[in-house]
């Protein structure tokens, strides 16, 4: 976490929190049951580095893009990503009536 000093108040220090960017990543994968298929992962990035990567989240690009955009907009803490993905996958698995 970087520090920034305020010149008008030399004793006041602002701490920058990391800005997280959630990005869908296309993958070509293979399984014995499905053969070769295209799936999408989610990469979590700061301005300096990739800090998390979850492979094979979904084959639906629009849904992964929507989820990644929402996580970025809300600045989801990457530690909460497993719970969010679990909820997302349950929601996707429930058929709509």
């Amino acid at each position: 976490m970087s520090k920034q000093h305020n010149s008008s108040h030399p004793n006041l220090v602002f701490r920058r929190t990391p800005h997280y960017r959630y990005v869908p990543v296309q993958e070509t994968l293979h399984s014995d049951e499905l053969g070769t298929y295209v799936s999408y992962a989610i990469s979590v990035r700061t301005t300096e580095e990739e800090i998390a990567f979850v492979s094979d989240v979904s084959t639906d690009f629009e849904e992964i893009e929507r989820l990644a955009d929402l996580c970025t907009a809300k600045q989801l803490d990457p530690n909460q990503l497993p719970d969010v993905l679990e909820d997302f996958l349950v929601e996707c698995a429930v058929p709509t009536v």
Side-chain angles (χ1 to χ4, degrees):
M1 193 180 301
S2 62
K3 296 179 184 178
Q4 215 175 30
H5 290 280
N6 185 323
S7 59
S8 62
H9 299 282
N11 295 327
L12 187 60
V13 176
F14 296 103
R15 297 191 186 278
R16 276 193 199 165
T17 56
H19 176 76
Y20 301 115
R21 197 164 51 102
Y22 290 76
V23 181
V25 177
Q26 182 177 316
E27 304 177 289
T28 301
L29 302 172
H30 182 82
S31 82
D32 292 337
E33 294 174 5
L34 301 173
T36 301
Y37 65 101
V38 173
S39 185
Y40 297 92
I42 292 186
S43 172
V44 185
R45 302 174 183 172
T46 65
T47 53
E48 291 87 28
E49 63 185 336
E50 180 176 77
I51 58 171
F53 186 87
V54 181
S55 182
D56 200 12
V57 176
S58 175
T59 57
D60 186 333
F61 176 75
E62 285 87 20
E63 287 298 314
I64 290 298
E65 184 177 46
R66 182 181 64 83
L67 179 63
D69 289 347
L70 183 61
C71 291
T72 298
K74 298 292 185 181
Q75 284 299 283
L76 179 73
D77 182 317
N79 292 321
Q80 295 176 325
L81 185 58
D83 292 331
V84 169
L85 288 175
E86 182 178 338
D87 292 345
F88 168 79
L89 293 172
V90 167
E91 178 185 308
C92 288
V94 175
T96 55
V97 180

